[in-house]
Amino acid sequence: MKSFALLFLVLICGMGGLGHKLKPKKRSNGEEINFRTKTKDVCTMSMSGDEEVKLRIECKSRGMSYWCEFTGKPSACRAFRNNPKIYWNQIAAELRKLPHACESTQVLKTTMCQKAPTEALMKQIAAGMEPEDLENQDESLQKTSMTGAGKSSVKKIGKPPILPLIKPTHHGQGSEYETEAMKLAREHCWESLHGFCSYIIGIFRG
């Protein structure tokens, strides 16, 4: 009787251990994997979700940044349920072979889930690209335009041209009378009184 009870306990413990071994591992949810593409783009892929998983890839490349998102149900693949970490590492390894992590990657495939149903595939649903430091570029453009406008609005103010003084010339009978009066004053008056004499003679002749 005692031997039968011991055999029964051994069978129960063995079944419990077998069930523990067959229990699927937890999915690697919320983890991040860093990698570089063939052209040295620095990328990060992050996973979120349970049954339907969302994968987001963000990369930086020579002053530009781009991203893409994938969705799928990799849990439909038995190999993924057993070891999801190897699954994501295989995807990162395939992305490292590409020059661009988001181009020509409409569907992500792994060797461990080749025979899995199509719903297990990760399919691309969105992608985008934008320049880095966009705000700094806008500020630099504004400063450049303001500097150019300031330079164009400043004008050098030169000195006004100096016009030569032109002495007025008198024409007509008045000037002739003054000339004759001066001649008579020189002939008939002392030198110191030439101006006065020519003035008097001009009055009488006018």
Side-chain angles (χ1 to χ4, degrees):
M1 192 70 181
K2 290 182 179 180
S3 61
F4 178 77
L6 290 173
L7 181 62
F8 183 73
L9 289 173
V10 170
L11 289 174
I12 292 176
C13 293
M15 291 179 65
L18 182 63
H20 178 71
K21 289 181 180 179
L22 295 177
K23 186 178 180 181
K25 297 181 180 179
K26 292 183 180 180
R27 288 187 285 272
S28 56
N29 187 14
E31 293 184 2
E32 291 186 353
I33 298 177
N34 299 320
F35 65 94
R36 288 177 179 267
T37 63
K38 190 176 181 180
T39 55
K40 306 301 181 182
D41 296 350
V42 180
C43 302
T44 302
M45 53 181 288
S46 57
M47 296 73 70
S48 61
D50 294 324
E51 183 179 358
E52 185 173 359
V53 180
K54 181 179 179 181
L55 171 66
R56 181 177 176 86
I57 300 173
E58 297 179 349
C59 301
K60 293 182 179 180
S61 171
R62 298 179 182 179
M64 298 291 294
S65 62
Y66 60 91
W67 59 270
C68 52
E69 293 181 349
F70 299 81
T71 58
K73 296 180 179 180
S75 58
C77 172
R78 182 181 297 179
F80 173 83
R81 295 196 301 269
N82 292 335
N83 201 330
K85 192 170 185 178
I86 294 179
Y87 176 87
W88 296 121
N89 286 335
Q90 286 187 1
I91 287 182
E94 292 297 321
L95 293 173
R96 288 188 182 97
K97 300 176 184 178
L98 302 175
H100 194 289
C102 292
E103 289 182 358
S104 303
T105 53
Q106 298 300 318
V107 178
L108 299 176
K109 299 179 180 180
T110 59
T111 56
M112 64 187 294
C113 290
Q114 286 181 350
K115 297 181 180 180
T118 56
E119 63 179 349
L121 298 175
M122 300 297 293
K123 300 177 182 179
Q124 188 177 126
I125 58 173
M129 180 182 295
E130 59 185 7
E132 292 183 355
D133 300 331
L134 188 60
E135 295 181 358
N136 295 335
Q137 292 180 6
D138 292 339
E139 290 179 0
S140 63
L141 289 174
Q142 290 179 0
K143 290 181 180 179
T144 303
S145 61
M146 290 176 64
T147 304
K151 289 182 178 179
S152 61
S153 62
V154 176
K155 295 182 179 180
K156 293 183 179 180
I157 302 176
K159 295 181 179 180
I162 300 174
L163 299 177
L165 295 176
I166 302 174
K167 295 182 179 180
T169 56
H170 299 282
H171 300 283
Q173 295 181 356
S175 59
E176 294 178 358
Y177 289 143
E178 290 177 1
T179 303
E180 294 180 359
M182 184 59 70
K183 288 181 180 180
L184 294 174
R186 290 176 180 176
E187 294 177 356
H188 302 286
C189 297
W190 289 303
E191 184 176 358
S192 59
L193 299 175
H194 284 173
F196 177 78
C197 291
S198 63
Y199 176 74
I200 299 300
I201 294 171
I203 290 175
F204 284 105
R205 292 183 63 87

